[in-house]
Amino acid sequence: MNAATSPRPQLWILRHGETEWSKSGQYTGLTDLPLTVEGEQQAVEARKVLESIDFDLVLTSPLRRARRTAELAGYPEAVHEPLAVEWNYGDYEGISSDLIRKDNPDYLIWTDGVPNGETLDEVAARADKIIGRVLESGMDNVLVVAHGHFSRILTARWLEMDAREGRHFILGTAKVCTLGWDKRTPAIVRWGL
C-alpha cells in the first residue's frame, strides 16, 4: 500500500458477537454458528459506537455470526465479502488451543499454523485484497464486520506488519476498532471500543 499517494480512508472493524464456540475458546473458522443471546446483545451495543459514523461501504463476512452482527448493529444491507471469512482452521476447527497444547505445549497458531487449513500467508493475502480495495476506493469510511483472527491479521497488514504480528491485537467479541493514519503513516486510531 502506498500511503503517500492514496486517499486517507478509515477502515473500521467490528468483530462479530459471541457464539458458543467463541465463549468456550474453540477455534471457529468456517463452521457457521449463530450468535448467543449475549452475542446478539453485544451487537446491539456496538450500534451505539457506530451510529454517528457515515459509512460509504459496509462489508460483512458471509458467515451468519457476522451477518447477524452487522444487522443488529444497524447494517442489514451490508455487502457480503467472501474474503472476510475467518481463518480456515482445518483439523483444528472446533478445538481449543488449550487442548492442542496438551499434546504440543509450545503450540502457537501464529507460528505453527493449522494442519489441513489455510496458511497465515493465505489469510494475509485475503486481508491485503480488502485493504487494497479500501485504499483505491476514494471512500472516507469503510466498515468490515468480520472475525477475531481475521480482524487481527487485517490490522497487522494495514499497519504494514507481517501477519504474525496480529498476535499482539487482542479483540473481544462485538468490539469496534478504527484503522487510519498518523499523517501518512498507517495507524490504529481506536481499539476495542
Side-chain angles (χ1 to χ4, degrees):
M1 111 177 125
N2 184 348
T5 59
S6 298
R8 302 285 187 284
Q10 288 196 329
L11 177 58
W12 293 70
I13 298 170
L14 169 58
R15 182 181 175 194
H16 67 76
E18 178 189 84
T19 67
E20 287 299 331
W21 283 10
S22 67
K23 182 178 179 179
S24 66
Q26 293 167 268
Y27 285 138
T28 315
L30 304 181
T31 302
D32 207 7
L33 297 178
L35 297 177
T36 61
V37 171
E38 174 67 18
E40 291 203 354
Q41 184 58 43
Q42 291 172 340
V44 169
E45 291 296 316
R47 183 180 198 149
K48 295 173 187 174
V49 176
L50 297 167
E51 64 189 355
S52 66
I53 309 303
D54 183 23
F55 289 106
D56 300 298
L57 176 64
V58 178
L59 302 171
T60 183
S61 159
L63 296 173
R64 73 175 153 169
R65 59 192 183 270
R67 289 191 337 260
R68 182 69 173 144
T69 299
E71 178 184 322
L72 292 171
Y75 307 99
E77 303 300 320
V79 176
H80 293 193
E81 176 50 72
L83 295 172
V85 297
E86 182 59 292
W87 194 335
N88 176 349
Y89 297 120
D91 293 349
Y92 288 165
E93 182 75 8
I95 299 174
S96 72
S97 57
D98 289 342
L99 186 59
I100 297 165
R101 284 193 193 97
K102 285 185 178 180
D103 292 329
N104 180 0
D106 296 326
Y107 174 77
L108 185 63
I109 194 170
W110 300 99
T111 52
D112 297 323
V114 294
N116 299 310
E118 273 183 300
T119 67
L120 181 58
D121 288 342
E122 289 170 330
V123 182
R126 291 193 282 111
D128 287 347
K129 287 178 183 174
I130 290 174
I131 290 168
R133 180 176 174 189
V134 170
L135 292 176
E136 293 169 7
S137 71
M139 297 178 185
D140 292 325
N141 290 294
V142 175
L143 173 64
V144 176
V145 183
H147 309 274
H149 276 128
F150 180 79
S151 296
R152 295 166 70 183
I153 293 165
L154 183 67
T155 299
R157 298 304 298 143
W158 178 271
L159 297 173
E160 301 176 343
M161 296 176 168
D162 186 279
R164 283 185 299 252
E165 300 309 315
R167 67 184 177 219
H168 298 292
F169 306 112
I170 296 171
L171 184 59
T173 51
K175 294 300 183 182
V176 176
C177 305
T178 312
L179 306 178
W181 306 91
D182 178 13
K183 299 178 181 52
R184 294 183 178 195
T185 303
I188 295 173
V189 178
R190 295 170 199 87
W191 190 260
L193 301 177

